[in-house]
Amino acid sequence: MEEQRASRADAQAASPVASNGTRGRPAPVRFEATEEESRRIQALAGSTSGSVRLADPPAVLRADGAERDLQSVLAAFRGRSVFDGGLLREIAAAAELLPWVREVRRVSWAHREGQVCVAFDVVPRVPAAAVLWGGERRLVDIAGALLPAVSYHEEAVADIPWVQGVAVPPPAPGSAWGDPGLRAALDVLDVYARRGFAERRPEMRPVSVLVSLAPERGIARPVADPEVRLSLACGKQLLMTARGGVGRLSIDEQLHHVEDILADPPRWHRIERYADLRFRHTVPAQ
């Protein structure tokens, strides 16, 4: 009997779960069980004392708080049977409403020590920057979603870049912060991180980002193309734009110039304050 239950749990775990509407809804998983076993599992499924397991939480996430949040999600399903083919999809959809959750890949169950253990395979949102707003640091992920600071270890996010100059008020936790300046800053930080500058040279770690939509030389800058001033640990700044266009370089082109400058130490040392990378003619000369 124990082996039969384990095999059914494995089959349930292998069933895909719809996420954010991007994948098709799977057919309900149906089980055949004895009447005695059905009563036992239904009773266990209705118990809020069952355990929750979060698969491979990242170090930045407070796993204990995350598991409490998931327990709260399960509490709404008290009394439901694990034989309900749509139950796991409903649990996954409810879990994806938690502001620190980016995606629920799978929800599964198994018997452990007389209880039903529900396992969550969750992709959490990871803080990418801290927006200064109202005198406080508001964490956001690389997609710009506002994150609850209580869900993350404070020491793990102490060194993420600060973003200043955001004009749009913050949204509800878990929602995207619809500020064009913040979007531009995150786009630059994303490409910058993937280039691995800070890993190769710690003095190139981004400390803060200042975004500005103010007119320049009497010409109003388009809202879709704010100025992004990236301050580095070495004290220098990179003046960038997140949008390519007529006369402007793309983020990749701008950072390619940074690679060229770093490969020429005298050229890098000649930069005292900042390097304007937005236009081809403003890139520091060789």
Side-chain angles (χ1 to χ4, degrees), residues 43-262:
L44 290 171
S47 172
T48 57
S49 63
S51 61
V52 165
R53 182 173 62 85
L54 184 64
D56 300 323
V60 68
L61 185 70
R62 292 183 181 273
D64 55 346
E67 290 179 357
R68 283 195 298 270
D69 288 345
L70 294 172
Q71 283 282 13
S72 297
V73 168
L74 290 179
F77 297 91
R78 175 182 294 181
R80 297 281 297 276
S81 169
V82 292
F83 290 121
D84 182 342
L87 179 64
L88 297 187
R89 289 199 303 274
E90 292 180 41
I91 293 175
E96 284 190 335
L97 297 178
L98 295 171
W100 56 268
V101 172
R102 182 166 70 86
E103 178 186 2
V104 178
R105 289 177 173 171
R106 185 175 64 177
V107 177
S108 58
W109 62 270
H111 286 142
R112 291 187 180 175
E113 298 179 354
Q115 292 184 330
V116 168
C117 176
V118 179
F120 290 83
D121 184 0
V122 172
V123 179
R125 299 184 186 274
V126 177
V131 178
L132 292 181
W133 183 271
E136 298 181 0
R137 298 170 74 238
R138 308 293 183 95
L139 300 179
V140 293
D141 70 354
I142 202 64
L146 181 64
L147 307 177
V150 70
S151 296
Y152 302 91
H153 292 289
E154 186 175 353
E155 63 276 10
V157 298
D159 291 334
I160 62 175
W162 294 34
V163 179
Q164 297 175 279
V166 172
V168 176
S175 300
W177 199 322
D179 184 271
L182 175 59
R183 181 65 268 154
L186 293 172
D187 286 345
V188 168
L189 288 172
D190 185 29
V191 180
Y192 190 89
R194 285 190 274 113
R195 286 272 188 153
F197 287 103
E199 286 75 15
R200 287 179 280 132
R201 303 181 59 160
E203 70 274 14
M204 296 293 290
R205 178 178 62 84
V207 175
S208 65
V209 184
L210 176 63
V211 292
S212 174
L213 301 175
E216 179 183 20
R217 298 189 182 94
I219 302 176
R221 183 182 296 108
V223 170
D225 187 21
E227 175 183 293
V228 178
R229 189 177 293 264
L230 193 65
S231 295
L232 307 176
C234 63
K236 297 181 181 182
Q237 296 179 336
L238 303 178
L239 184 55
M240 303 180 62
T241 177
R243 304 286 181 268
V246 178
R248 291 180 179 265
L249 301 177
S250 68
I251 299 177
D252 276 316
E253 289 174 319
Q254 294 170 79
L255 294 180
H256 180 73
H257 283 296
V258 174
E259 297 275 14
D260 288 344
I261 295 171
L262 290 174

